[in-house]
Amino acid sequence: MDFKQRIEDLTEQLNQHNYNYYVLSNSEISDYDFDMLLKELQDLENKYPELASPNSPTKRVGGDITKNFETVAHRFPMLSLSNSYSKEEIEEFDTRIRKLVDGDIEYVCELKYDGVAISITYENGELVRAITRGDGVKGEDVTANVRTIRSIPLKLRGDFLPSFDIRGEIVFPLEAFNRLNKQREEAGESQFANPRNTASGTLKMQDSSVVASRALDCQIYQLYANKINVQGHFEAVKEVENWGFKTPSVKERYIEKVQSIDGIMEFINYWDKNRNKLPFEIDGIVIKVNNYHRQDELGFTAKSPRWAIAYKFKAERVSTLLEKITYQVGRTGAITPVANLVPVQLAGTTVRRASLHNADQIEKLDIREKDTVFVEKGGEIIPKIIGVDLTKRDEDSQPTSYLKNCPVCNTELVREEGEAQHFCPNINGCQPQITGRIEHFIGRKMMNVDGLGVETVIQLFNAGLIKNIADLYDLTLEQILPLERMAKKSANNLLKGLAESKKIPFEKVLFALGIRHVGETVAKKLAKHFKSIEALSLADKETLENVDEIGTVIAESIVNYFSNEENKTMIERLKKTGLQFELDESNNTQKSNLLDGKKIVVSGVFEMSRNELKKLIEDHGGKNVSAISKKTDYLIRGENMGPSKLEKAEKLEITMLSEKELLTLLQD
Ligand code: IVH
């Protein structure tokens, strides 16, 4: 076989599929088939590294590590925009412009994306470099990380300019951001505060495969070249669409040409009202003079172009008194400082508390008790403290000294290198950590213990009946009956719930243990790979790291967990009570690979129960997903299925199967 030719073919096919999917939102290939092509290319590149191009589609999944980001000068300086906050200021901007140039003025209105600016250089149709804004003159080379962002083309198509820079904003789409935070919550990790900072942090990560896993996106907003062959900015943005870029949609009004102040204000008002429906955050609107000649005539001030201005949305902001900073202890021992405020109305809700995140945040904003603070609610849901009204600060006010000892058990707090959060190390003696772990253990997605709730866990703990998860299974009716508000029926239910939970399969038990960084998905992977807690507990760091998708942090956390004597004793006790600590191959062995990797939505009423149906799908390697999207491979269609789902599936041309058809398929 001509390997070079095959690599070229695969590259071309994969680039085309990527483009269809991420730019045109119109995929022609299943995820599975795509992955097979990618794997073939990866294998060939591993075998013949000299044939691997720096812009190979395999770079999309990351893997390149950047230890130090090199500082590189921008070919065109990266300026900023002057801001405005009212119609009057926009009118002044327009008047200024009309004084400086003659004739009609056409404006382009765009969204002001709230993310991180990036400048990407293309030479002869290939992405060669991506640089952060930095100080505007030079920035950091984050090319390997930017290559993982799928909507950014690595190779261009069409009639592109031989050399140019394209600029845009890297954003963290809200859906992906919320998904990431949910995963982190399940793994007992701290939450990221907002999409913008997280996008910025992600872009500077050393391991590009982590960047790849985070699904960042890029919104294009400007083209720079020595000579551009079109009349104006709007035309340029549309032109680069032909080169393979995803550009702002005219149909969805992400970009619009207008001829007057009224047009500008109409655009601003539309997005002020509708911005919460966007899949990413914006913090305003950008208005640019369209015509390049006019732009040249207008020129620049020291910091920003005269031909453009940003209009910033008003975030609703109020000020209130911060009465006290208190500290919360999470299940993992992480400490979160909380601002307790004099209640205040903000954007339709009463705000009483706001997270201060960590010690650095308090120091950065120099927040102190009895300060008057500004609380803001922008596009986000959670209110945040954005600063202190220094004019109202008491003269004898002192800087906050961060808590040194656990607010609950008084153990000295620790802060490990690289961690934003302080931790209480008294894992097995600190109440919220103990009850938090027990609450996690009994949760619906874990051991799913019926008849036991958060309140009861705390009652049981306070009565001295449970100190760890294993104690739960030693509880007797005589012990729990005397608890307040505990009727005989509920006591029996509790014991029944616990007995039932002994049937819960190993992967869920593993998740339930609450090992740091071991969330639902990781637990499944580990259970499948090691098959028993015994084998997992004996694995060293290296063995663990060799498991697909298990990195250093997870590996270290697992080794750490199993080196703790108390954890070992507890697991021994749990084993004796009959919990599942081995993979039940009879239940779990896949019956076939017929549905391997396929994403399947089940909707409507069926002859077998929905759970049976879902299990059947998993047994054949399929994955159950709840919502229909263009990634869905099959829709299993039952009776009385909702019309909107059906319509969506039809529109996306998703293959639909009846229950019978599915069964026939699997029997074959
Ligand atoms: S144009 C010379 N357009 O806002 C013009 N910027 O202070 C340069 N931004 O650093 C910027 N959306 O990161 C432009 N549609 C948009 C934008 C945008 C967001 C950011 C950009 C820049 C900052 C301006």
Side-chain angles (χ1 to χ4, degrees), residues 310-328:
Y311 174 92
K312 295 262 245 179
F313 292 132
K314 278 185 231 50
E316 279 196 66
R317 176 193 293 193
V318 288
S319 68
T320 186
L321 187 77
L322 191 172
E323 291 195 298
K324 204 171 168 37
I325 298 175
T326 54
Y327 298 83
Q328 282 178 349

Side-chain angles (χ1 to χ4, degrees), residues 79-81 110-113 117 169 221-222 224 286 288 305:
L79 301 176
S80 57
L81 296 168
E110 297 175 5
L111 304 180
K112 186 168 188 317
Y113 310 103
E169 195 89 348
Y221 60 64
Q222 201 86 13
Y224 288 83
V286 181
K288 299 173 181 170

